């Protein structure tokens, strides 16, 4: 008996020792304790951050874990550890794991929030960040560049995270390949939920960028799989792949205003992804292809209406012998077994062809090299409402082989290959957004190495007896949904916040107005009782707020004697002003953004507003950005200037507002320019700036405009100018439009004013 | 018993059947039989070409062999089947083998002699050419481009072949990567003997080119191993690697006037190669590095004296954001464990830096991007006679990390890194050209992934207890020789031909001279007995021949009334003319090449020769090429022009002669130019044309030269002009020298003649 007992106790001791060696678990409550714990950490250790706010912490997590015994840094309770203020996390060593942290209310003081290296000599490998959230941890100044997650080293992972709300310069996720330590990295970016990234107004707003042009020759092997890209609208490239052998599998791109772009580098695999658009947006893109050897298979495109750069499949023209950072010719691409459901003109070839611009661009910028050795086979184009132009070509299509593709509409495109046949098919709607042919269409083209496409989008085997053109082979597995939100992001964070109840306040005095404005929460409405309100301070707008006259037939007058501005626009400020009269004393602007730290976009909407006696109607600061400025049914008189969206002058393709819409509004006696909306720099890949200036009347304006231009829209890509009346404006030009972008005046009435000029090709400073 | 017998006979039948299935062996005696046999060939078949001459045969070898049962096409006796005339061999299908063929006395009527595809749809894979010889199967017209072996498809092999004597345009071996069928090819070019390739005079004379700039982004994985490159002098690139992931292992570069050049593409492995030079040649190169991620390890460099582009290790400057076909920056290269024995300034950085030429070149041609993230570690520089300048830098060296390198000489270079230490070591001479430190030097730097360099040049393991800097770890395996010729080439062909006995003929009349010239074999000598010889037809020179006066103090006069020329230079003609007088009647040139089909180089050497009354001394045709033209101690008078090497005007970097040496010669009354030696086109990588014009006297010449230039050397890279006397030449310029190439006149005496101009940067037509 003694013997047995002795043996038993030994066993317990051994177990305890092993347990200790394996799982030293240490809870820390502040940065000093954490640093101490990190200094001594060993393979298998778990360091636990106590719940609470961790403010202004720059964590350097160095350790040498092993495959079986990683070193873990985790939240006591996932989501209950918030990293706030000027904070960051850098990792170095081997087999590290970080779990459950929540970055919010702050921004990084360095170049990144999370970085897989501590220094060039201390790089992380085989390490992962999982179950974490980064939410609006964005720089106060949008012009300051950072990345939220920087990948360095090899075999690192970002998984099951929720990341949203970056509004400053710089891709959200950036993979670096500068140095042999970082190539062949096989990083995994998987099962994340990339929440909304707002429009940035210019380039450098990607959600993921893998490599850069100067390392675009490196083998990267980064894997981006099973992520949800949820309204990632930062710029035209949701993902910018700039290195070799990257893989993009089974991601969902949901209403994201951009494309998965193979910008540099070669031999990407894009398999099994889902692109969801809608009937209203031309901004939601698909896949844009540049360079050599890409395979695009088993992808499902639904209701994409994007054109040119943002078309479902955009195959670009290259620059012959392109410089490293420009556009290589597309060669040896395979686009096979994809489904295009209710898309518009899904196949666009020689996108970016700009031979016509050879007079304003140097030869090294002319994209004249057409795609070569491209195979498009076994694809399905289905349209409930016929789309008779499945193909748009911006140059001759002579390097593309079409085999065994089907469209359900008649093909009236200029390009009518034998390998694209019109055929009626019946379909089933399996679940939301998911439309599948009722029967397999098994007249398959067997191209070179097509046997490697052995499964469909839902991993159903493609066999000699069971196969189909398009992304989907019948039978579809039971209960298949296109977007299963449980697969993406953390287990603990709810991305959808239900909107708080909307309050409506009635006010009768200036003081009440100020007080309720301060008190209100986002979305609230302030109704002004009739009368005149004298305001000697500016009204700050830092939330969504509606201010309107209670009786729209009896407009309230707000009379400003404030110093700089009537309304001060803050980040996230959304002002809807209705049925009011704004009167200044020429000492201030009507609307002005903060001078700096406009970290987020603002919006301005004027409906039936009469504005007079201000310096400018709108003045903005350099880093500021309005998502939309909408003016309708208003009058604007006796101001020095109108809307001045002209401070983003770095000539890097950036601009101060995305959508500017001015409609049925009367401008009279505006001394300078009605609108100055500026985008500088030649960058064909930022395609924004939208101006609609329709049905307005402008009189007696532009007297003091030194360039003698009434409406300035230099470099803005999309401009409408129609049904306006211009009378007695002493300028040379009403506006100068950009012919190459299809801008032209329509039905304007011009009397005793300047003329509307069209310049075919704008001379622009080359950005590259 | 019957049963047993029956069983036994069945067995025999089965065996026979099996044998037949396995090895159907069919001998064919002419192309029709061969075609018939090929039409029906099956896996395992052997088709045997009967011994003899196969003339004007264009063989298309299509078949579907298997790994275990290839289809074999072979010579009845290796080497006894000669393929001659207008012939070629194309392969298509799987697992084909060709053995023992001998290509000679002809040339291909198509673009290649051997081609691993029959058409774009019929490509060969897993096929090989082995034990074959291609000897001087070269185009009659040097300007016609072909390749001798074109690789297409995947997994093809060229092994144990002897290939020599290509003198026309085009790389000898060319690997193509245009199309997914040809990438990831893993071709094997192994155990071949690449015999002498003559100097070509300009680009496109590589022995092996793998890919091209427009497919330089492709993964190629071609393996070039265990080959002997024996005086492959075609151009500055013996091998031009232009794709990714190629491997160059254990090859010997013996006195080859060029380098292994990583011209385009990335991530090459250059391991265990041997580069042998000698004390006399500055043309024999090593490894030239461009682009990213190359590993250069375990190589042995012996007596290389090349400079700049041809230095043992030449690391180039790149063009920032280089166009696809120019020079990418060098990054992430590793040069480790190499030995440099008795080399001169073996490490040269920023080779090709041309910032000084920015006034004549566009920005897209300026190589200003210095190497970055380059590691040079564990290398050994040993010099018996000290070389105090191991490093030459053409720009700042700020992107190179030097670790644990040793030189045996003091380092007085401008660059003196801590990681290059001077240390005396003792060495053993193990065998010819093989010098090894007596003891291992095991102070090793362990760089990133250096553990992958697990063996030395002789496959001795590098371990923690047994390792050394340099290419070789002691102990060296017994009986190691650097060059074991039995490893290379065929089993049946002898590359070295012993020279026939030299005959000397004495002649006394013009008829005798003609007759003996016809009769003589290469290397023979014709001695002229004294007197005058009247020659009314040209003397053809199609072999090496010496013609000299029997009594050099009593020079024979050859008086020509022939129509076009006195001597007609044919391919391979080498004329040594000594102690004679050549007199024309102004109706002919003294020396003229054939108008066309100058398939091979010729040589001309004049020693103590008096030439007068000719149109030109030398006139050449466009495709012609003289390896050397040497004139010494001679007089040249009363001719319209001197040496006219000015017909290669395609401005592609080509020229009509390699070495032109004129020494101690008197020119008088030459109406036009003394010498017109032309090389057109900007191509920094062809660095030839050599002119030495020293100790000559030129009088009363140039009267009719329309450009008023006495000596024209436009575009020739290497020019000496010293100790000459120029008197009474009515020209504007004696010569125009190219300052950027270091040309300058030295100690010339000039009276009443033009001047010698130096132009720093020549304006040249860009070739790219």
């Amino acid at each position: 008996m003694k013997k047995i007992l002795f043996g038993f106790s030994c066993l317990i001791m051994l177990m305890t020792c092993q347990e200790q060696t394996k799982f030293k678990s240490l809870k820390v409550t502040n940065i000093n304790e954490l640093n101490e714990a990190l200094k001594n950490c060993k393979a298998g250790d778990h360091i636990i951050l106590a719940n609470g706010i961790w403010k202004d912490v720059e964590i350097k997590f160095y350790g040498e874990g092993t495959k079986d015994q990683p070193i873990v840094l985790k939240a006591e309770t996932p989501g209950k550890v918030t990293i706030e203020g000027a904070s960051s996390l850098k990792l170095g060593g081997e087999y590290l794991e970080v779990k459950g942290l929540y970055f919010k209310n702050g921004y990084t003081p360095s170049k990144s929030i999370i970085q897989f290296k501590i220094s060039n000599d201390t790089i992380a490998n085989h390490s992962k960040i999982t179950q974490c959230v980064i939410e609006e941890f964005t720089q106060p100044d949008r012009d300051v560049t950072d990345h939220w997650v920087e990948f360095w080293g090899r075999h690192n992972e970002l998984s099951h995270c929720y990341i949203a709300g970056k509004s400053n310069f710089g891709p959200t996720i950036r993979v670096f390949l500068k140095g042999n330590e970082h190539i062949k990295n096989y990083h995994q970016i998987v099962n994340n939920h990339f929440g909304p990234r707002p429009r940035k107004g210019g380039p450098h707003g990607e959600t993921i960028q893998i490599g850069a042009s100067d390392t675009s020759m490196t083998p990267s092997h980064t894997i981006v799989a099973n992520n949800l890209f949820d309204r990632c609208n930062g710029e035209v490239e949701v993902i910018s792949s700039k290195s070799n052998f990257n893989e993009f599998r089974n991601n969902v791109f949901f209403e994201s205003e951009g494309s998965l772009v193979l910008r540099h580098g070669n031999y990407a695999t894009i398999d099994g992804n889902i692109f969801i658009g809608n009937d209203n947006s031309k901004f939601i893109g698909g896949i844009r292809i540049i360079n050599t050897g890409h395979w695009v298979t088993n992808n499902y495109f639904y209701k994409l209406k994007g054109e040119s750069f943002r078309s479902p499949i955009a195959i670009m023209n290259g620059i012959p012998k392109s410089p490293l950072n420009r556009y290589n010719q597309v060669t040896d691409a395979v686009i096979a077994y994809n489904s295009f459901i209710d898309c518009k003109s899904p196949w666009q070839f020689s996108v970016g062809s700009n031979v016509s611009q050879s007079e304003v661009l140097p030869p090294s910028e002319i994209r004249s090299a057409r795609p070569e050795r491209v195979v498009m086979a076994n694809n399905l184009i289905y349209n409930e409402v016929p789309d008779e132009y499945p193909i748009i070509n911006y140059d001759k299509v002579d390097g593309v082989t079409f085999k065994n593709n089907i469209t359900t509409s008649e093909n009236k495109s200029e390009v009518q290959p034998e390998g694209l046949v019109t055929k009626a098919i019946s379909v089933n709607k399996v679940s939301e957004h998911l439309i599948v042919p009722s029967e397999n269409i098994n007249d398959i083209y067997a191209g070179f190495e097509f046997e490697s496409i052995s499964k469909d989008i839902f991993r159903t085997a493609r066999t000699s007896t069971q196969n189909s053109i398009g992304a989907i082979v019948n039978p579809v597995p039971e209960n298949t949904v296109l977007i299963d939100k449980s697969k993406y992001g953390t287990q603990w964070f709810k991305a959808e916040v239900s909107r708080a109840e909307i309050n409506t306040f009635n006010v009768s005095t200036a003081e009440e107005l100020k007080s309720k404005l301060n008190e209100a929460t986002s979305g609230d409405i302030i109704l002004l009782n009739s009368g005149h309100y004298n305001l000697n301070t500016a009204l700050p707008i830092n939330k969504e707020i509606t201010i309107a006259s209670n009786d729209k037939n009896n407009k309230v007058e707000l009379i400003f004697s404030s110093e700089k501005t009537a309304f001060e626009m803050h980040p996230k400020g959304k002002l809807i002003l209705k049925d009011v009269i704004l009167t200044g004393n020429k000492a201030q602007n009507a609307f002005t953004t903060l001078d700096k730290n406009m970290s987020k976009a603002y919006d301005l909407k004027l409906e039936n507003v009469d504005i007079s006696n201000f310096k400018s109607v709108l003045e903005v600061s350099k880093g500021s950005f309005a998502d939309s400025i909408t003016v309708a049914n208003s009058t604007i008189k006796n101001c020095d200037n109108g809307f001045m969206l002209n401070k983003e002058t770095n000539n890097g393709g950036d601009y101060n507002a995305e959508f500017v819409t001015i409609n049925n509004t009367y401008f009279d006696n505006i001394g300078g320019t009605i609108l100055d909306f500026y985008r500088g720099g030649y960058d064909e890949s930022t395609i924004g700036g939208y101006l609609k200036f329709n049905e307005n009347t402008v009189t007696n304006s532009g007297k003091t405009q030194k360039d003698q231009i009434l409406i300035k829209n230099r470099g803005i890509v999309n401009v409408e100018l129609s049904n306006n009346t211009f009378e007695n404006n002493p300028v040379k030009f009403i506006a100068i439009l950009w012919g190459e972008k299809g801008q032209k005046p329509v039905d304007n009435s011009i009397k005793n004013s300047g003329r509307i000029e069209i310049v075919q090709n704008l001379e622009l400073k080359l950005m590259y």
Side-chain angles (χ1 to χ4, degrees), chain A:
Chain A
M1 184 64 188
K2 262 188 184 170
K3 264 190 185 166
I4 292 170
L5 258 183
F6 178 74
F8 188 62
S9 58
C10 274
L11 186 64
I12 287 176
M13 278 176 69
L14 266 170
M15 278 172 73
T16 317
C17 291
Q18 274 195 338
E19 193 68 7
Q20 276 183 338
T21 319
K22 251 187 189 162
F23 297 111
K24 191 177 82 185
S25 189
L26 188 62
K27 186 157 126 183
V28 294
T29 61
N30 60 48
I31 187 73
N32 292 334
E33 285 178 19
L34 172 59
N35 286 338
E36 194 58 31
L38 289 174
K39 212 181 286 173
N40 303 310
C41 71
K42 295 202 170 41
D45 286 358
H46 283 208
I47 299 169
I48 294 161
L49 301 188
N51 287 352
I53 296 175
W54 290 66
K55 192 158 188 284
D56 299 337
V57 288
E58 294 186 57
I59 303 169
K60 289 179 184 171
F61 179 11
Y62 176 81
E64 296 283 339
T66 64
K67 190 174 182 183
D68 297 327
Q69 300 199 321
I71 302 171
V72 178
L73 178 72
K74 64 178 183 183
E76 184 180 354
T77 309
K80 299 292 182 201
V81 174
T82 58
I83 311 291
E84 307 194 18
S87 297
S88 67
L89 169 62
K90 293 184 171 146
L91 296 88
E94 295 283 329
Y95 293 102
L96 310 178
E97 283 187 30
V98 176
K99 284 185 189 167
L101 305 186
Y102 184 3
F103 291 81
K104 66 173 185 177
N105 295 333
Y107 57 92
T108 176
S110 69
K111 291 281 168 210
S112 55
I113 301 174
I114 296 172
Q115 184 175 291
F116 283 97
K117 71 170 182 182
I118 293 173
S119 68
N120 283 341
D121 297 327
T122 311
I123 298 161
N125 295 294
H126 299 102
S127 295
K128 73 173 165 188
I129 305 290
T130 190
Q131 295 289 343
C132 291
V133 167
I134 307 178
E135 191 187 25
E136 294 197 1
F137 208 74
T138 198
Q139 295 291 333
D141 181 351
R142 289 176 66 255
D143 278 358
V144 171
T145 299
D146 68 7
H147 308 115
W148 283 9
V149 182
E150 283 194 3
F151 278 90
W152 299 85
R154 291 178 172 177
H155 299 284
N156 294 319
E157 179 179 317
L158 179 77
S159 59
H160 288 288
C161 290
Y162 177 79
I163 296 177
K166 189 175 197 295
S167 50
N168 63 321
F169 267 69
T172 311
I173 312 293
R174 179 84 155 76
V175 177
F176 284 89
L177 296 153
K178 258 189 148 85
N180 285 331
E181 296 88 343
H182 315 292
I183 66 168
K184 299 179 200 158
N185 57 62
Y186 296 92
H187 295 318
Q188 303 246 3
I189 300 172
V190 295
N191 294 102
N192 301 291
H193 181 170
F194 293 100
R197 176 161 187 173
R199 297 179 185 117
K200 198 198 131 281
H204 310 296
E206 302 88 347
T207 295
I208 299 179
Q209 180 183 331
I210 306 170
S213 67
D214 64 342
T215 56
S216 59
M217 67 294 284
T218 58
S220 174
H221 297 280
T222 296
I223 294 150
V224 179
N226 295 305
N227 300 287
L228 172 59
F229 295 89
D230 178 7
R231 291 160 289 164
C232 293
N233 300 343
E235 63 144 274
V236 292
E237 304 184 29
V238 179
I239 298 179
S240 189
S241 181
K242 297 187 170 182
S243 43
N244 292 311
F245 310 123
N246 295 319
E247 299 181 22
F248 305 92
R249 296 183 186 276
N250 303 101
N251 300 286
V252 176
F253 295 82
F254 180 78
E255 293 185 353
S256 290
E257 294 181 358
S259 302
L260 166 45
V261 181
L262 305 175
R263 183 65 192 86
H264 295 295
N266 309 282
Y267 301 99
T269 301
I270 303 185
D271 183 80
N273 300 280
I274 293 161
F275 296 81
I276 307 286
N278 60 45
D279 284 324
N280 311 315
S281 173
K282 286 185 170 183
F283 303 147
I284 300 165
I287 297 170
R288 180 150 56 95
I289 299 173
I290 305 150
N291 305 293
T292 290
H294 304 302
W295 282 58
V296 176
T297 53
N298 287 322
N299 299 288
Y300 184 86
F301 303 81
Y302 181 78
K303 280 205 181 164
L304 299 189
K305 313 288 178 179
E307 297 167 356
S308 182
F309 277 66
R310 304 208 236 206
S311 52
I313 293 286
I315 299 186
M316 289 193 69
N317 256 16
I319 295 166
K321 299 169 186 170
S322 172
L324 190 59
N325 62 332
R326 305 303 289 136
Y327 290 83
N328 276 313
Q329 188 179 24
V330 175
T331 61
D332 302 304
V334 174
I335 293 101
Y337 289 115
N338 301 287
S339 290
F340 302 85
I341 308 299
D342 288 333
C343 295
K344 189 164 178 303
S345 302
W347 300 353
Q348 306 208 1
F349 297 98
S350 293
V351 166
S353 170
N354 60 350
V355 179
S356 68
Q357 283 174 274
S358 47
E359 62 183 76
V360 289
L361 292 174
S364 61
E365 277 297 326
I366 300 301
R367 288 181 292 269
S368 60
R370 295 189 292 272
E372 265 184 21
R373 302 191 301 273
V374 170
V375 175
M376 302 207 63
N378 305 334
N379 297 292
L380 170 65
I381 301 175
Y382 170 85
N383 287 78
E384 197 176 343
V385 178
D387 173 31
E388 294 178 332
Y389 298 90
I391 298 176
I392 290 179
N393 56 308
Y394 300 89
D395 197 342
K396 206 162 46 171
V397 176
D398 54 359
V400 181
T401 303
F402 297 85
K403 294 280 184 185
N404 300 47
N405 303 286
I406 285 176
T407 174
T408 55
S409 313
E410 194 181 345
N411 176 15
K412 294 183 178 171
S413 311
E414 184 185 320
V415 179
Q416 305 200 346
E418 282 184 21
L420 174 61
V421 174
T422 299
K423 184 175 170 169
I425 62 168
S426 67
V427 296
N428 294 328
K429 185 166 179 182
V430 173
S431 58
E432 194 183 1
H433 306 313
L434 180 54
I435 287 169
V436 180
S438 314
E439 290 182 3
N440 286 339
I441 309 162
N442 51 21
D443 179 18
I444 298 293
Y445 172 71
F448 180 72
E449 290 195 329
F450 273 31
E451 66 278 8
S452 68
I453 314 167
S454 60
K455 293 183 176 162
D456 83 343
I457 192 172
F458 300 123
R459 321 319 290 154
T460 303
R462 294 185 182 275
T463 67
S464 56
T465 55
Q466 175 188 284
N467 203 351
S468 183
I469 71 158
I472 300 157
V473 175
N474 283 302
V476 177
E478 264 185 61
N479 304 321
T480 293
V481 292
L482 264 186
I483 310 176
D484 172 4
K485 287 209 171 176
S486 71
K487 282 167 63 181
Y488 314 108
T490 69
Q491 289 163 340
W492 56 268
F493 182 80
K494 277 261 170 291
E496 322 263 303
V497 185
S498 57
R499 192 171 175 135
E501 204 183 323
I502 292 173
N503 303 304
T504 301
F505 303 98
N506 275 272
V507 300
S508 298
T509 66
E511 284 317 303
E512 273 187 341
L513 168 57
K514 285 189 208 171
S515 148
K516 292 298 174 195
L517 181 60
N518 183 37
E519 201 176 296
T521 56
S522 203
D524 287 352
I525 298 167
I526 298 176
L527 295 179
L528 306 171
N529 293 326
S530 62
H532 302 273
Y533 293 63
N534 288 302
L535 291 141
N536 57 7
T537 56
L539 297 175
I541 306 295
N542 54 14
K543 54 199 144 200
E544 182 178 335
I545 198 86
T546 301
I547 299 176
S549 294
N550 216 338
D551 176 2
K552 75 172 181 180
N553 298 318
N554 185 10
K555 284 191 235 180
V556 165
E557 184 177 14
L558 302 180
I559 303 167
F560 289 89
S561 59
S562 52
E563 208 170 307
K564 187 177 167 193
T565 189
F567 293 88
E568 186 178 67
M569 303 305 298
H570 289 232
K572 287 190 166 184
K574 298 194 179 193
L575 175 62
I576 299 128
L577 208 53
K578 283 169 72 173
D579 312 320
V580 294
I581 300 165
L582 304 186
T583 309
N585 64 3
K586 279 270 184 162
Q588 67 284 91
N589 307 314
F591 307 93
T592 310
T593 66
L594 295 182
D595 284 346
K596 56 180 185 176
N597 291 353
M598 287 297 291
S599 62
K600 293 269 176 184
Y602 66 100
D603 278 351
L604 180 60
K605 186 172 182 181
L606 309 179
E607 165 69 33
N608 189 23
V609 177
D610 301 331
I611 296 174
S612 64
N613 281 67
F614 289 94
K615 292 208 291 202
S616 292
V617 179
L618 172 65
E619 281 287 352
V620 304
S621 59
K622 180 173 182 311
S624 73
F625 183 69
D627 196 78
S628 68
I629 291 171
T630 309
V631 183
N633 311 318
S634 298
T635 64
I636 298 173
K637 292 186 184 176
N638 304 328
C639 293
D640 293 347
N641 278 300
F643 296 83
M644 306 302 279
L645 295 155
N646 58 355
K647 299 301 182 296
E648 198 58 273
T649 52
N650 61 6
N651 290 339
D654 305 299
Y655 43 95
N656 279 123
E658 192 70 39
F659 299 101
V660 176
T661 306
I662 300 176
N663 201 57
N664 192 34
T665 290
Y666 178 38
F667 291 86
D668 182 61
N669 193 31
I670 306 301
T673 182
I674 298 296
L675 169 72
D676 189 348
F677 189 12
Y678 182 84
R679 169 179 169 274
Y682 167 78
D683 178 9
E684 70 300 318
S685 74
T686 60
I687 53 184
Y690 290 79
L691 169 62
K692 295 186 181 185
F693 192 91
N694 302 325
E695 300 175 348
N696 302 294
T697 300
V698 183
T699 56
N700 306 312
S701 294
K703 297 182 190 85
T704 64
Q705 215 294 316
K706 67 177 176 13
D707 300 325
Q708 296 210 57
I709 307 176
L710 198 60
I711 298 169
K712 299 178 96 170
N713 55 297
R714 167 85 191 180
I716 299 302
V717 176
N718 311 281
V719 175
E720 289 180 18
L721 188 70
S722 72
N723 297 296
N724 300 291
T725 301
F726 299 96
E727 273 187 36
N728 299 325
N729 299 294
V731 292
K732 197 165 165 194
F733 301 106
I734 290 170
I736 299 173
L737 302 183
W738 190 354
E740 204 265 333
K741 301 291 179 191
Q743 299 174 9
K744 54 174 189 291
V746 177
D747 295 338
N748 297 288
S749 158
I750 302 174
K751 278 187 202 157
N752 199 16
S753 294
R755 61 196 164 84
I756 300 171
E757 172 102 345
I758 299 178
V759 173
Q760 184 59 23
N761 290 310
L762 225 50
E763 279 190 45
L764 292 164
K765 184 172 155 278
L766 288 181
M767 286 171 59
Y768 301 102

